[in-house]
Amino acid sequence: MDEKNKKQILLVEDDIALAEMYQDKFVLEGFHVYVSRNGVDGLEAALRIKPDLILLDILLPGMDGMTVMKKLRTDVWGKTVPIIMLTNLNANDTILKGVVEDHPAYYLMKANSEPAEVVGKVKDVLKEI
Amino acid sequence: MKIVTKLKIFGTFAAVLVIILGAIIYWRASQVDLAIEKDRLAGSLVKEAFILNILSGDYIQTHGERAETQWMSQYEKLNKSIDSYTIDNQEEQVIIDKLRLGQKVILVHFSQLQANIEDEGSPGIEEFEKRLAGQLSIDVQSIVSSATDLADINSKNLAIVRQASSFFILIVVLSLGFLFFFTYTLLAGSISKSIKELIEGTKVLAGGDLSFRYKTKNKDEFGQLSLAFNDMAAGLQKMDEIKTQFIYLVSHELRTPVGAIKGFMSMINSGDYGDRTKKLERPLFLITASVDRLLHIVNKLLDVSRIQADKILLNFDNYKIQELIDESVLEAYPAAAEKNLKLEVKKNNYFIVHADKDKVIQIVNNLLENAIKFTEKGIISIYTEQAGDKVCTFISDSGIGIAKEYQPKLFDKFDEIKLEEAGKTSGIGLGLYISREFAKKMGGDLWIVQSEPGKGSTFAFSLPVSQSTGKNNKNGDYI
């Protein structure tokens, strides 16, 4: 696929192994992947690159995924960009309470989801928009 | 008040009771002794009077000197007896006065008789002597009679004193005994009540309710023990919370690297990193299986910590239970096939439950996983039936079964010791605990229907029937 036509994914994940694993899978599936290792870098990269979709871990050093998402939603572009949260947290955990309703176009996926499942989810979300 | 103080007071009270009882018995015994002594004196009086009577007769008959001396000596004895007698009442006073008067009279008559005897030979003296002798006899008999009256009075008095003392002592013993028993019962009751409360509390704590605390205002030893118990319970609860938090953190931290391994393995297995060599197939298969098992354990530990922290999120909806069972059976099929076990599902498409889909599948998975693990040959069957407002799912196997003594422990956490003998301790003993907690959270329950060593087991779980779809319709499809 032409590099220009490739869908751009921003992966914000602090775990090296997980980041590399998802990166490998998305590259194999024809995506262009950017990787950030913390929340601050992830927010900066998102606003700069403006990817088609963001895969965001919740527990991140510096700035957690929830804060990154809230800040993105205040931006004109970031208001609508689809975000998939990757987390081991249960939706009942304190950190997730009260955010679901306030922030549309975000999806929750278990961090231990198979790479193929995550790719499938990303493709589905991109089809929707 | 402290128990030791209560015991001291009770001991002092008991000692005082014993002293009072002793004093009363001593006092009554003295009264009886006094009455016996008086009775003895009265008896002695009768005896002396009676002897005097005999000696009077002897003197009247013989007029001898010896008889005269004996009479005088006996008269003195009688005199002494009368003097030594203690007068206690008017009646006795009258008798004693009568005796003293009689004494004087007989002495006069005896002296006259003596003089008369010396004047023997005077005309008409014999007749006079007879009269004097007769008078003396009558007087002495009168004394004997009075002495006997006194003796009778004393005998009666002795009987009365004895009876009264016995009765009095009996009443006192009974009263003091009752007082002692009442106080003892009160004290023992208070101690026993406190001990029972402590035993009950210990049982509650041993049963797993670490939030139990005593609300005591007592300042005695039991109050102090209750406070110490509360401190111990608080310590245990704190440790339990730390343990739960620790399990949560460890399992949560483990999930990320395990997830990465699992993800990479799935990519390797699906050929994302190129073709696998033949040699690598077996090791890769084993790594994948081990990672799956590890993830399974980590997920169970996370479930336990969430159950304990009451952080289980349930997404309720209405589901055909058969569809959830089928999904689980499909997952369990390879493992059953590997052991040549037949999975028999009696289908029923009419029961709709109100539950969390993932949790129901997890329960069925767990029960099927156990059934397959502990069954070497035969059939594993699954069927559902409705009981009131619940739908019950039964999973039976023809496996090793569980002895009765181990069955109550089946739903405890981390307790797979009961399977040691069977050499089947590959799990961590959390599945049944988690499954039952999930079933309960969804408004149902999970229990063992029957199990016998060598004859297999049947487990069941219940879930509430969906209310919004109305009653399950056995004659048609669900609405």
Side-chain angles (χ1 to χ4, degrees):
Chain A
M1 194 187 282
D2 184 4
E3 194 66 28
K4 229 179 172 183
N5 295 327
K6 281 182 180 176
K7 292 283 182 188
Q8 294 188 328
I9 305 286
L10 172 65
L11 172 64
V12 189
E13 171 62 67
D14 63 321
D15 188 86
I16 301 173
L18 281 177
E20 207 166 309
M21 176 186 80
Y22 287 127
Q23 189 176 17
D24 284 357
K25 188 67 184 173
F26 277 102
V27 169
L28 278 167
E29 294 288 332
F31 290 87
H32 187 89
V33 184
Y34 298 92
V35 179
S36 291
R37 300 285 304 284
N38 63 61
V40 179
D41 289 354
L43 179 65
E44 186 273 322
L47 295 172
R48 182 167 43 84
I49 300 161
K50 298 189 171 43
D52 297 302
L53 185 143
I54 300 169
L55 278 167
L56 187 58
D57 190 14
I58 288 188
L59 296 177
L60 288 167
M63 186 189 289
D64 66 73
M66 280 294 154
T67 313
V68 172
M69 185 176 76
K70 282 177 191 170
K71 286 190 184 290
L72 279 172
R73 291 299 187 230
T74 59
D75 181 77
V76 180
W77 166 83
K79 201 169 275 182
T80 52
V81 63
I83 298 171
I84 295 178
M85 289 283 188
L86 293 170
T87 181
N88 281 327
L89 293 172
N90 189 302
N92 203 30
D93 286 326
T94 325
I95 196 165
L96 290 182
K97 275 185 183 170
V99 242
V100 182
E101 298 84 6
D102 304 339
H103 301 88
Y106 108 94
Y107 311 87
L108 205 63
M109 278 205 88
K110 286 179 181 172
N112 61 343
S113 300
E114 298 266 332
E117 285 178 67
V118 181
V119 169
K121 180 79 180 175
V122 167
K123 283 179 178 172
D124 288 346
V125 171
L126 288 175
K127 264 185 210 165
E128 280 176 26
I129 55 173
Chain B
M1 194 189 289
K2 286 188 170 184
I3 298 292
V4 69
T5 316
K6 281 183 187 174
L7 286 171
K8 275 180 186 169
I9 291 172
F10 177 72
T12 313
F13 174 70
V16 169
L17 287 187
V18 170
I19 290 166
I20 291 171
L21 185 64
I24 287 168
I25 290 172
Y26 178 78
W27 170 58
R28 291 314 301 177
S30 306
Q31 296 291 306
V32 173
D33 272 353
L34 218 60
I36 289 171
E37 179 59 18
K38 280 190 74 178
D39 189 50
R40 193 187 63 74
L41 286 172
S44 169
L45 246 170
V46 172
K47 190 185 87 182
E48 303 304 346
F50 189 69
I51 293 170
L52 190 67
N53 187 30
I54 293 165
L55 290 175
S56 296
D58 190 31
Y59 180 71
I60 290 165
Q61 289 292 318
T62 60
H63 296 163
E65 204 169 315
R66 187 185 56 83
E68 185 186 325
T69 316
Q70 280 179 335
W71 193 95
M72 283 307 294
S73 165
Q74 187 57 34
Y75 178 84
E76 284 308 317
K77 277 186 185 173
L78 178 67
N79 202 24
K80 274 183 191 167
S81 286
I82 292 169
D83 287 346
S84 63
Y85 188 82
T86 321
I87 301 155
D88 284 332
N89 54 48
Q90 192 61 35
E91 198 180 7
E92 286 180 344
Q93 185 66 58
V94 171
I95 294 171
I96 291 294
D97 288 348
K98 207 172 159 186
L99 280 170
R100 288 193 196 287
L101 186 64
Q103 243 186 321
K104 283 175 189 165
V105 171
I106 60 167
L107 187 61
V108 171
H109 286 149
F110 184 74
S111 303
Q112 284 178 344
L113 190 60
Q114 257 182 322
N116 195 59
I117 288 165
E118 280 165 13
D119 288 344
E120 256 180 16
S122 304
I125 203 76
E126 204 167 322
E127 190 59 33
F128 185 60
E129 184 189 318
K130 272 184 189 169
R131 251 190 12 219
L132 278 175
Q135 195 59 49
L136 182 63
S137 288
I138 290 165
D139 292 341
V140 173
Q141 274 168 19
S142 168
I143 285 175
V144 170
S145 170
S146 296
T148 308
D149 287 347
L150 197 64
D152 284 347
I153 289 169
N154 274 290
S155 292
K156 280 176 192 163
N157 188 43
L158 177 61
I160 289 166
V161 169
R162 271 187 172 148
Q163 204 176 2
S165 295
S166 301
F167 183 71
F168 188 76
I169 287 170
L170 183 72
I171 293 294
V172 168
V173 166
L174 286 177
S175 307
L176 294 185
F178 175 75
L179 209 60
F180 180 85
F181 181 73
F182 178 74
T183 320
Y184 169 79
T185 309
L186 219 62
L187 182 64
S190 125
I191 293 173
S192 169
K193 190 177 162 232
S194 303
I195 290 174
K196 272 183 191 165
E197 279 174 6
L198 279 168
I199 291 171
E200 287 307 313
T202 311
K203 280 182 181 170
V204 171
L205 204 66
D209 182 5
L210 300 180
S211 63
F212 178 82
R213 299 287 184 277
Y214 283 109
K215 286 170 190 159
T216 182
K217 286 179 181 171
N218 287 351
K219 288 183 177 173
D220 62 10
E221 288 85 342
F222 285 112
Q224 290 169 10
L225 197 56
S226 302
L227 291 177
F229 180 96
N230 286 351
D231 288 346
M232 180 185 72
L236 283 172
Q237 194 175 21
K238 183 76 191 160
M239 279 169 69
D240 194 52
E241 282 164 8
I242 291 169
K243 180 207 72 189
T244 305
Q245 186 66 13
F246 176 76
I247 291 173
Y248 179 78
L249 288 173
V250 167
S251 46
H252 186 262
E253 286 303 310
L254 275 173
R255 266 213 344 201
T256 304
V258 173
I261 299 169
K262 191 173 160 54
F264 275 118
M265 286 313 298
S266 72
M267 286 170 70
I268 292 168
N269 288 331
S270 61
D272 286 345
Y273 291 108
D275 293 338
R276 296 176 301 175
T277 62
K278 192 108 181 133
K279 265 188 170 179
L280 278 175
E281 270 183 16
R282 180 68 182 159
L284 287 174
F285 167 76
L286 291 174
I287 292 170
T288 307
S290 298
V291 168
D292 282 345
R293 217 176 111 207
L294 184 56
L295 193 61
H296 196 54
I297 292 169
V298 169
N299 283 337
K300 277 185 176 179
L301 287 173
L302 267 173
D303 281 338
V304 169
S305 56
R306 280 177 179 147
I307 287 167
Q308 294 204 310
D310 204 19
K311 279 186 175 175
I312 293 291
L313 174 75
L314 296 169
N315 297 309
F316 279 101
D317 212 332
N318 297 328
Y319 299 99
K320 269 187 176 182
I321 186 128
Q322 193 58 54
E323 286 178 358
L324 307 185
I325 292 170
D326 288 347
E327 200 170 315
S328 191
V329 167
L330 201 67
E331 211 171 302
Y333 190 75
E338 201 176 305
K339 291 177 86 176
N340 282 325
L341 297 171
K342 193 180 170 192
L343 271 177
E344 191 179 81
V345 185
K346 291 174 192 167
K347 296 220 176 202
N348 186 322
N349 283 315
Y350 309 119
F351 298 144
I352 304 165
V353 293
H354 185 65
D356 179 304
K357 181 184 171 184
D358 291 342
K359 301 291 182 282
V360 176
I361 291 172
Q362 205 172 326
I363 292 172
V364 182
N365 277 350
N366 177 253
L367 293 176
L368 279 176
E369 194 182 294
N370 282 348
I372 293 167
K373 185 157 77 170
F374 299 114
T375 306
E376 292 308 318
K377 57 177 181 179
I379 300 171
I380 291 162
S381 65
I382 309 165
Y383 63 97
T384 50
E385 60 183 42
Q386 190 171 346
D389 59 350
K390 298 276 192 299
V391 171
C392 300
T393 303
F394 296 85
I395 296 176
S396 300
D397 64 57
S398 52
I400 58 169
I402 303 140
K404 274 228 161 359
E405 64 262 35
Y406 296 129
Q407 290 181 14
K409 285 187 152 194
L410 274 178
F411 299 97
D412 289 352
K413 293 189 293 287
F414 304 108
D415 194 13
E416 222 165 77
I417 47 155
K418 63 264 178 183
L419 301 166
E420 273 175 8
E421 303 95 292
K424 295 279 185 184
T425 50
S426 58
I428 49 170
L430 288 176
L432 284 174
Y433 167 76
I434 294 168
S435 298
R436 187 164 73 166
E437 291 301 315
F438 281 171
K440 282 181 174 176
K441 288 266 178 207
M442 289 187 282
D445 204 352
L446 190 150
W447 67 98
I448 182 163
V449 180
Q450 70 81 31
S451 188
E452 208 176 314
K455 292 186 179 174
S457 311
T458 301
F459 284 83
F461 68 93
S462 61
L463 292 168
V465 168
S466 163
Q467 296 296 317
S468 58
T469 53
K471 203 177 174 183
N472 282 314
N473 180 5
K474 287 188 180 182
N475 299 317
D477 212 341
Y478 67 101
I479 304 156

